[in-house]
């Protein structure tokens, strides 16, 4: 079993939709949670960073961590075609390097 | 300056060539990383430098040789690569250690013929 599971998609939504991207993880020692956005042939760009459980909002993006169910989510409101990319969740314990999910490819149709 | 830069953007090399990838950051970060990413896969960690010392080598073949000349620079020397080594090579940095958030460069797309 992978430590971090993520549906690879692709996920296709119309412009303006609310997008929900999700990951599950198995290691209860994970404490730090990140979402990266990666456009085709580019490096990953840090979108959101959260520590432990709770919500964090930044503009149209909301990251949510539920440590009791080992579930992390990224919500995108009013999605735009420019949001079309691969979204990678990542986590670490504070003592090891990042563990990535496999990435979800998102397509926002105009 | 809040970015990680990588050169070259693209590199094509033969199996007998020797080439180097370069990474630079001026954020004062003390941990730097090399990742390899194949198409439709997440990045795979290769090496970690912490305070200019190699701290993690994820059993990478010796045809990849990292070097950290100073706190701002990270190189990856390539020699006798195989076609299966073709990938996007990503550099990242973080403020102090592997427990910090990592910031990635744009990558070097490597093709081995």
């Amino acid at each position: 079993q992978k430590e971090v599971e993520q549906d690879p998609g692709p996920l296709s939504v119309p412009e303006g939709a609310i997008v929900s991207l999700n990951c599950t993880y198995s290691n209860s020692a994970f404490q730090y949670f990140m979402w990266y956005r990666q456009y085709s042939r580019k490096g990953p760009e840090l979108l959101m960073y959260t520590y432990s459980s709770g919500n964090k909002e930044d503009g149209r993006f909301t990251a949510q961590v539920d440590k009791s169910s080992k579930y992390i989510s990224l919500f995108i409101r009013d999605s735009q075609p420019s949001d079309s990319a691969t979204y990678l969740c990542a986590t670490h314990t504070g003592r090891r390097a990042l563990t990535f999910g496999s990435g979800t490819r998102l397509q926002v149709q105009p | 300056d809040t970015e990680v830069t990588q050169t070259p953007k693209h590199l094509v090399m033969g199996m007998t060539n020797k080439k180097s990838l370069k990474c630079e950051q001026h954020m004062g970060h003390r941990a730097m990383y090399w990742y390899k990413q194949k198409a439709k896969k997440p990045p795979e960690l290769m090496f970690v430098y912490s305070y200019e010392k190699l701290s993690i080598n994820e059993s990478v073949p010796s045809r990849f040789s990292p070097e950290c000349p100073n706190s701002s620079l990270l190189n990856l020397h390539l020699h006798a690569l195989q076609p299966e080594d073709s990938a996007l090579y990503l550099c990242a940095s973080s403020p102090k250690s592997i427990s910090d958030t990592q910031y990635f460069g744009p990558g070097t797309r490597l093709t081995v013929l």
Side-chain angles (χ1 to χ4, degrees):
Chain A
Q1 182 191 8
K2 291 182 184 175
E3 286 192 289
V4 180
E5 299 274 2
Q6 186 175 7
D7 187 331
L11 176 63
S12 184
V13 302
E15 183 175 354
I18 295 175
V19 176
S20 172
L21 303 167
N22 309 292
C23 291
T24 59
Y25 63 93
S26 56
N27 186 348
S28 57
F30 287 140
Q31 298 183 63
Y32 302 85
F33 304 91
M34 284 133 278
W35 284 96
Y36 286 87
R37 176 175 64 194
Q38 187 172 23
Y39 292 111
S40 183
R41 297 176 169 266
K42 302 289 186 187
E45 170 195 6
L46 180 67
L47 271 182
M48 301 289 281
Y49 172 79
T50 52
Y51 170 69
S52 196
S53 280
N55 290 3
K56 185 173 183 179
E57 190 172 319
D58 184 0
R60 295 185 295 112
F61 299 91
T62 300
Q64 197 171 75
V65 176
D66 182 347
K67 291 193 75 180
S68 62
S69 56
K70 298 190 180 69
Y71 200 80
I72 50 181
S73 302
L74 178 71
F75 299 97
I76 307 174
R77 289 184 297 282
D78 187 25
S79 56
Q80 303 294 309
S82 58
D83 295 326
S84 298
T86 295
Y87 290 80
L88 294 149
C89 62
T91 180
H92 66 81
T93 63
R95 294 173 188 238
R96 279 173 33 193
L98 287 177
T99 300
F100 283 95
S102 55
T104 299
R105 195 153 54 93
L106 172 66
Q107 295 170 347
V108 181
Q109 307 292 344
Chain B
D1 190 350
T2 57
E3 65 174 350
V4 177
T5 59
Q6 289 187 245
T7 54
K9 285 191 170 63
H10 303 275
L11 179 62
V12 179
M13 60 187 290
M15 291 193 288
T16 58
N17 293 156
K18 285 185 183 181
K19 296 285 184 185
S20 296
L21 310 184
K22 181 179 171 182
C23 172
E24 199 163 359
Q25 57 87 13
H26 295 288
M27 296 179 279
H29 288 179
R30 302 312 300 270
M32 296 185 76
Y33 311 76
W34 280 115
Y35 286 85
K36 173 183 177 180
Q37 187 177 27
K38 301 284 267 185
K40 299 188 179 181
K41 298 287 186 185
E44 296 175 35
L45 184 66
M46 299 174 73
F47 302 103
V48 180
Y49 273 83
S50 179
Y51 290 82
E52 298 148 60
K53 288 188 173 24
L54 183 65
S55 62
I56 296 177
N57 176 341
E58 293 283 1
S59 304
V60 179
S62 60
R63 57 186 184 268
F64 296 92
S65 174
E67 179 197 18
C68 188
N70 60 55
S71 60
S72 301
L73 273 176
L74 188 65
N75 298 320
L76 186 63
H77 303 297
L78 314 172
H79 173 54
L81 295 193
Q82 304 296 310
E84 60 265 27
D85 296 322
S86 299
L88 181 68
Y89 287 83
L90 294 161
C91 175
S93 71
S94 62
K96 288 182 185 172
S97 71
I98 60 172
S99 64
D100 296 326
T101 300
Q102 294 178 29
Y103 299 86
F104 285 82
T108 293
R109 182 152 302 278
L110 174 68
T111 303
V112 182
L113 300 176

